[in-house]
Amino acid sequence: MAEPKSDLRLEIAHVLFIDIVAYSKRLIDEQHESLQDLNQIVRNTEAFRSAETSGKLIRVPTGDGMALVFSTTPEAPVQCALEIGKALRSNSELQVRMGIHSGPVSGIMDVNDRSNIAGAGINVAQRVMDCGDAGHILLSKRVAEDLEQYRQWRPYLHELGECEVKHGARVGLVNLYSEEVGNPAIPEKLKKERETSAAAPSIKPAKLRMPAPLSGAILGTIALVIGFWAFSHRHSQTGTNAVTSPEKRIALLPFKPLVPENRDQVLELGMADSLIAKLSNVREIVVRSLNSVRKYSGLDQDPLAAGRELEVNSVLEGNVQKSSDRIRVTARLIKVADRSSLWSNTFEEKFTDVFAVQDAISQKVADALALRLSGQEKSRLTKRYTENAEAYQLYLTGRYHWSKATPPDIRKGIGFFQQAIELDPEYALAYAGLAAANRALAMNADVPAKDCLPQAKAAAIKAIELDDSLADAHSALSFGLIWYDWDWGTAEKEAKRAVALDPNSGMAHFAYAHILSDRGHHQEAIAEIARARELDPVFFLFRALEGMMLHHAGRNDEALTALRKTVELDSNFWATHLMLGKVYTAQRKYPEAIAEFTKARQLSGGNSESIGSIGYVDALAGDKEKARAVLEELKALSTQRYIPSSNVGLVYNGLGNQNEALSSLERACEERDPRVTLLKVDPRWESLRSDPRFVAILKRIGLQ
């Protein structure tokens, strides 16, 4: 037996591993075509051509993709991946994922006695890639640490934390994306691992063992143990990511009055809201939104109980009182685990100096949590959107009413936002609030789309003109673009922009999830809405819509479990009952469905989709007289207020009157009824899918 050679020469290389998603599920000729397309795209990138011309590139075919080994700089594979990602935007059929790592490699002779290359650098790049889904460009933490030293790369880098790969090893991952390229969603593998970890008892992770020699499954070679051990040892020392790190999740609770009989709920909630807006600009921290914290405004609310329910590790509580032109504010940052105070202070100023108070509190919270702020984050932490104290009060009042989410309060909120804008026409936040409030009317209040969605779009565009970094404005714009303009491409760009600007915004992930779900991209949509729910665990709209998206994906058992859990948390949120009714309908549990739709109708104050859904199920259950009575009720209501035609068409569909059902949907298109954007995925319209008129409707709204 020959002795192994001892002169094995290791070199550090920068590896881009590329894989075609679901390659094995394609037909043989489709596999060949997709590989040819990928090869052509890769060869056309400037990074590939430059490295190959200089002799600094080795190509390793892997059957369903390739490994590109650069011996230039860590930037080379990253630049190549970005060029590939941009080129793939015009080829939606070719779905790939990419992983990048810098590590040791060496030359070998393969089974065909040809020169080849192997090593931990290649194997780890493959492991990193394996953690991703379609569209992801994932980096190992080692590569990201090299890139973050350069200003131009920082906006692309989004830390994900560690993920377990083969042989029990864990690698630190960073997601590379921008509004133009990459996939901002949390990888499914990592999401499932977090869910498993969250359900298990908390224990400290053990140090990584030096793994046994790794098998290079694709290359058919033996990995270099020393190189991979060095990588593993290095990364066993890294910290957890911003999502799972306890000290980086915070809730800013509504402030309490110093004198209960003189309370000002607008100011109390508004102080928390303003601080949320400031601290949400810091990527290293996850801040619970106003939607989640507003429920904790009671005078007897225990901040520690709220912190546990919100799944955070620190809470900011305080008191606020305005008297004449003076304001007094006390604030305290508490560690939930042991009730210890991390920081506290009292401020007493003129009300016109309330902005300085908020700046000081935000900075002290950042200091207490040892947040590492970039220059841009420091600037945004003290950014003031208006210097007009009266406009600020009007804005806070608008936010107070809008966040209640009832149609009358949403309309009140719109009025206050408009008044704030009249006082300060450059108030970007007020325009963003106006956009969000008008958008909310479209689905919640049976308001004609023409009376709210163009207004929402115009306000969002103005907010973005004044401050392009407002994630909420981009989210609101994306809804208007799909619900009114049916411009799916631009809407997706706006939603991705919102996620890129604020990865910890539940609303941004929700906006992107809606676009993905409506177009039938169910796996990615469910990942996005789950992320929204994780970021705002007690905002029940996200939980209800997660159930809807699971239902639209045909995963009704999961939807039922999720929705029942939401009812346990709050049995009075009407949308949860609406979604439960849809799931029961799909399961042909008609009495249960009617019971849920009836609850939704009662709790919503008569939402017409709840009424139409009752008639639809009555018809399916064989009680056509009741269904026709619902039709007459909707027609009578339409003389008093707007009733979306889609809700009328639903009853006709249940009765089997396809002609009237289709005519109703065609009228819904004329009305720009946002509910038509669900037609492709809502199973209640399954019986019409093959009808040419239905197909024409889908084409008209950009879904066919």
Side-chain angles (χ1 to χ4, degrees):
M1 180 176 175
E3 292 292 324
K5 293 183 179 181
S6 60
D7 61 348
L8 189 63
R9 185 163 150 246
L10 299 179
E11 295 181 354
I12 298 299
H14 314 291
V15 184
L16 169 60
F17 216 107
I18 310 170
D19 169 73
I20 298 174
V21 177
Y23 178 82
S24 61
K25 296 180 180 179
R26 299 170 180 242
L27 299 175
I28 298 298
D29 55 342
E30 290 177 340
Q31 292 179 356
H32 177 75
E33 290 169 2
S34 60
L35 268 178
Q36 289 293 101
D37 289 345
L38 179 59
N39 288 335
Q40 189 63 42
I41 288 172
V42 171
R43 284 194 291 264
N44 285 339
T45 63
E46 178 62 30
F48 178 95
R49 292 199 303 267
S50 176
E52 188 174 52
T53 301
S54 61
K56 299 292 186 180
L57 175 70
I58 298 175
R59 293 174 281 172
V60 182
T62 61
D64 57 355
M66 67 192 72
L68 302 178
V69 184
F70 295 82
S71 54
T72 51
T73 70
E75 292 180 288
V78 179
Q79 191 62 52
C80 187
L82 289 176
E83 291 185 68
I84 293 168
K86 289 177 181 177
L88 287 169
R89 288 183 301 177
S90 60
N91 189 343
S92 60
E93 295 299 314
L94 185 57
Q95 298 287 313
V96 306
R97 55 183 179 169
M98 294 179 265
I100 300 173
H101 174 63
S102 296
V105 300
S106 71
I108 63 165
M109 297 299 291
D110 65 19
V111 70
N112 295 314
D113 292 326
R114 290 183 295 198
S115 296
N116 212 322
I117 194 165
I122 293 177
N123 286 306
V124 175
Q126 182 188 354
R127 305 291 182 261
V128 169
M129 179 201 70
D130 285 342
C131 294
D133 307 318
H136 276 128
I137 305 172
L138 300 184
L139 314 181
S140 70
K141 188 70 183 298
R142 175 173 176 176
V143 173
E145 286 171 348
D146 290 334
L147 294 180
E148 69 181 1
Q149 305 305 314
Y150 300 93
R151 184 181 297 114
Q152 70 267 29
W153 289 113
R154 288 189 175 184
Y156 290 86
L157 305 176
H158 310 276
E159 189 170 357
L160 293 171
E162 292 187 347
C163 185
E164 184 172 342
V165 294
K166 285 189 176 181
H167 310 289
R170 299 185 68 81
V171 296
L173 299 177
V174 173
N175 194 1
L176 184 86
Y177 65 84
S178 70
E179 63 181 82
E180 296 181 337
V181 67
N183 179 357
I186 302 296
E188 189 70 19
K189 181 176 181 179
L190 189 59
K191 185 171 74 74
K192 289 179 179 178
E193 185 175 298
R194 287 177 185 168
E195 290 172 352
T196 302
S197 299
S202 177
I203 59 173
K204 287 187 176 181
K207 265 193 172 182
L208 296 180
R209 298 175 299 164
M210 181 174 70
L214 302 179
S215 168
I218 293 180
L219 302 177
T221 63
I222 298 177
L224 299 172
V225 177
I226 294 174
F228 189 61
W229 178 84
F231 172 86
S232 301
H233 180 74
R234 169 189 171 110
H235 290 282
S236 68
Q237 310 302 318
T238 59
T240 53
N241 65 44
V243 174
T244 58
S245 177
E247 60 273 13
K248 293 184 180 180
R249 293 197 303 269
I250 185 173
L252 303 153
L253 302 180
F255 281 50
K256 305 293 170 52
L258 287 168
V259 181
E261 55 269 25
N262 293 330
R263 72 178 306 187
D264 182 344
Q265 293 191 60
V266 170
L267 182 59
E268 294 160 18
L269 190 67
M271 281 294 292
D273 189 18
S274 298
L275 293 169
I276 289 168
K278 286 179 173 291
L279 285 164
S280 293
N281 291 309
V282 181
R283 288 176 179 267
E284 195 180 347
I285 189 171
V286 175
V287 184
R288 296 303 187 225
S289 74
L290 180 70
N291 293 320
S292 281
V293 303
R294 68 164 291 118
K295 67 175 286 190
Y296 303 103
S297 58
L299 294 178
D300 57 350
Q301 177 63 55
D302 177 2
L304 297 176
R308 287 189 291 270
E309 191 172 41
L310 288 163
E311 300 172 11
V312 298
N313 284 82
S314 57
V315 296
L316 183 80
E317 66 156 355
N319 298 89
V320 62
Q321 200 77 51
K322 182 175 179 287
S323 177
S324 186
D325 65 341
R326 307 287 297 178
I327 185 171
R328 180 180 175 85
V329 179
T330 64
R332 183 164 71 111
L333 184 64
I334 308 169
K335 189 175 180 180
V336 174
D338 59 10
R339 297 174 176 264
S340 61
S341 177
L342 299 174
W343 167 80
S344 64
N345 207 343
T346 299
F347 306 85
E348 188 164 355
E349 305 284 350
K350 287 185 176 180
F351 185 75
T352 52
D353 293 327
V354 67
F355 307 118
V357 173
Q358 293 166 354
D359 292 346
I361 294 173
S362 301
Q363 187 60 60
K364 292 298 183 182
V365 169
D367 293 344
L369 296 178
L371 301 179
R372 298 166 296 179
L373 305 180
S374 66
Q376 186 181 41
E377 287 173 335
K378 288 178 182 177
S379 174
R380 293 191 65 78
L381 199 63
T382 56
K383 180 179 177 65
R384 299 179 185 180
Y385 287 92
T386 185
E387 296 291 345
N388 188 316
E390 187 178 351
Y392 172 69
Q393 285 185 282
L394 289 165
Y395 168 74
L396 292 187
T397 308
R399 291 278 291 178
Y400 174 79
H401 287 289
W402 166 81
S403 65
K404 287 185 175 183
T406 66
D409 275 295
I410 293 171
R411 291 187 178 93
K412 286 182 184 177
I414 288 172
F416 285 109
F417 289 137
Q418 289 171 331
Q419 291 178 57
I421 290 167
E422 288 172 6
L423 287 178
D424 184 354
E426 303 298 305
Y427 199 172
L429 282 181
Y431 284 105
L434 186 61
N438 272 294
R439 186 265 304 165
L441 283 177
M443 279 289 196
N444 293 350
D446 286 343
V447 172
K450 63 181 177 60
D451 291 344
C452 56
L453 290 180
Q455 294 84 339
K457 180 181 176 181
I461 290 173
K462 181 62 177 179
I464 292 167
E465 287 176 358
L466 293 169
D467 187 344
D468 181 61
S469 67
L470 287 175
D472 283 352
H474 289 280
S475 298
L477 180 55
S478 74
F479 280 106
L481 288 166
I482 62 169
W483 285 351
Y484 198 82
D485 295 343
W486 306 325
D487 184 351
W488 298 90
T490 308
E492 182 172 359
K493 181 180 178 182
E494 291 298 325
K496 284 185 174 181
R497 173 70 171 152
V499 172
L501 286 168
D502 188 358
N504 295 326
S505 165
M507 189 58 69
H509 288 280
F510 163 50
Y512 187 34
H514 226 311
I515 294 167
L516 291 167
S517 177
D518 294 353
R519 299 171 88 178
H521 303 309
H522 297 300
Q523 182 175 346
E524 299 96 323
I526 290 167
E528 287 296 321
I529 193 64
R531 180 69 181 129
R533 185 247 307 150
E534 290 166 3
L535 289 164
D536 280 316
V538 298
F539 183 41
F540 301 115
L541 177 64
F542 291 164
R543 288 180 172 272
L545 292 174
E546 183 179 20
M548 180 190 78
M549 291 180 192
L550 286 165
H551 166 57
H552 287 170
R555 294 159 60 172
N556 286 311
D557 290 341
E558 294 173 65
L560 198 59
T561 299
L563 291 167
R564 283 173 172 169
K565 174 65 174 176
T566 306
V567 171
E568 289 175 10
L569 295 170
D570 186 345
S571 62
N572 294 318
F573 186 57
W574 73 274
T576 309
H577 295 287
L578 181 70
M579 301 312 166
L580 266 173
K582 293 182 180 183
V583 175
Y584 283 132
T585 301
Q587 295 178 331
R588 299 185 180 182
K589 297 178 179 178
Y590 299 138
E592 292 90 337
I594 289 175
E596 294 299 333
F597 288 137
T598 302
K599 288 179 186 176
R601 175 180 181 167
Q602 293 167 346
L603 292 170
S604 67
N607 175 270
S608 66
E609 185 175 357
S610 304
I611 300 171
S613 296
I614 292 171
Y616 174 73
V617 176
D618 281 335
L620 293 184
D623 198 335
K624 296 186 182 296
E625 286 304 313
K626 280 188 177 180
R628 292 189 185 97
V630 170
L631 267 181
E632 292 305 314
E633 181 183 2
L634 289 172
K635 290 176 182 178
L637 286 172
S638 69
T639 64
Q640 305 167 28
R641 59 184 173 93
Y642 170 69
I643 299 295
S645 293
S646 60
N647 294 332
V648 176
L650 186 61
V651 185
Y652 279 121
N653 190 36
L655 287 166
N657 190 335
Q658 292 194 349
N659 183 57
E660 285 296 333
L662 289 163
S663 295
S664 295
L665 292 180
E666 288 163 349
R667 284 193 297 274
C669 289
E670 295 298 327
E671 298 166 3
R672 297 282 166 159
D673 178 357
R675 291 159 191 82
V676 300
T677 58
L678 302 176
L679 290 177
K680 181 175 180 176
V681 292
D682 188 338
R684 296 182 296 182
W685 303 102
E686 187 65 36
S687 61
L688 302 180
R689 298 246 188 262
S690 60
D691 191 289
R693 289 171 68 187
F694 190 84
V695 173
I697 290 170
L698 291 182
K699 288 181 178 178
R700 180 179 179 182
I701 62 179
L703 288 174
Q704 185 81 355

